[in-house]
């Protein structure tokens, strides 16, 4: 099997993933993923697709992530890994789909409107 290339998105984050069989090395932006994602929660989010199909340590992942914050980047990376695993073996798809890892989360930040302080927050009203 050659390298599988997929993309995942969440909010404004984009993750490009290159997945190949290996011993479980995950590299994000030329750094170890434990070094890139400091908290245990974010590291768990990245590993969720592998845990779902009981394949922890079977694939090497090289990822380029940009945009957004760390949580959005971790969730974009999770989606890209899940998509790559589906390309590797179609039998993984039902389990990953059931967990919701293949669904693009459409929630985005609402744009700021004119005459308002934020998207919905109004300026303070002074009666007198």
């Amino acid at each position: 099997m050659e390298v599988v290339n997929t993309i995942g998105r969440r909010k404004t984050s984009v993750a490009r993933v290159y997945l190949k069989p290996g011993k479980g090395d995950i590299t994000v932006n030329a750094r170890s993923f434990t070094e890139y994602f400091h908290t245990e929660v974010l590291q768990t989010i990245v590993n969720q697709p592998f845990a779902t199909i009981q394949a922890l340590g079977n694939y090497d992942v090289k990822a380029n992530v940009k945009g957004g914050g760390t949580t959005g980047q971790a969730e974009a990376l999770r989606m890209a890994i899940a998509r790559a695993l589906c390309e590797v073996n179609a039998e993984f798809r039902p389990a990953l789909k059931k967990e919701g890892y293949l669904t693009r989360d459409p929630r985005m930040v609402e744009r700021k409107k004119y005459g308002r302080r934020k998207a919905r927050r109004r300026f303070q009203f002074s009666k007198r």
Side-chain angles (χ1 to χ4, degrees), residues 54-75:
Q54 287 88 38
L56 277 170
N58 294 353
Y59 297 97
D60 287 344
V61 176
K62 183 176 177 284
N64 295 323
V65 183
K66 65 175 186 175
T70 54
T71 305
Q73 287 182 351
E75 292 179 7

Side-chain angles (χ1 to χ4, degrees), residues 6 13-14 19 24 26-27 33 47 52 66-67 81 86 90 95 99 108 110 120 124-125 127-128:
T6 55
S13 302
V14 180
L19 185 96
I26 301 176
T27 308
F33 93 107
N47 276 321
T52 302
K66 65 175 186 175
I81 290 170
C86 285
E99 294 294 325
M108 300 281 282
E110 192 174 341
R120 298 184 182 211
Q124 185 171 351
F125 173 73
K127 194 166 185 177
R128 287 182 189 86

Side-chain angles (χ1 to χ4, degrees), residues 1 21 30 36 41 64 68 81-82 86-87 112 126-127:
M1 183 192 109
Y36 191 83
V41 175
N64 295 323
I81 290 170
C86 285
E87 280 190 33
K112 184 196 175 297
S126 174
K127 194 166 185 177

Side-chain angles (χ1 to χ4, degrees), residues 42-56:
L42 296 177
Q43 293 170 17
T44 306
I45 287 172
V46 172
N47 276 321
Q48 279 176 336
F50 295 121
T52 302
I53 61 164
Q54 287 88 38
L56 277 170

Side-chain angles (χ1 to χ4, degrees), residues 92-128:
F92 296 153
R93 187 171 176 82
L96 294 170
K97 190 165 177 63
K98 182 175 177 267
E99 294 294 325
Y101 302 147
L102 299 174
T103 306
R104 164 71 160 94
D105 193 343
R107 295 177 295 173
M108 300 281 282
V109 177
E110 192 174 341
R111 70 171 284 268
K112 184 196 175 297
K113 278 75 167 192
Y114 58 88
R116 302 272 175 100
R117 207 166 75 185
K118 290 169 42 178
R120 298 184 182 211
R121 173 82 167 98
R122 290 176 164 83
F123 290 109
Q124 185 171 351
F125 173 73
S126 174
K127 194 166 185 177
R128 287 182 189 86

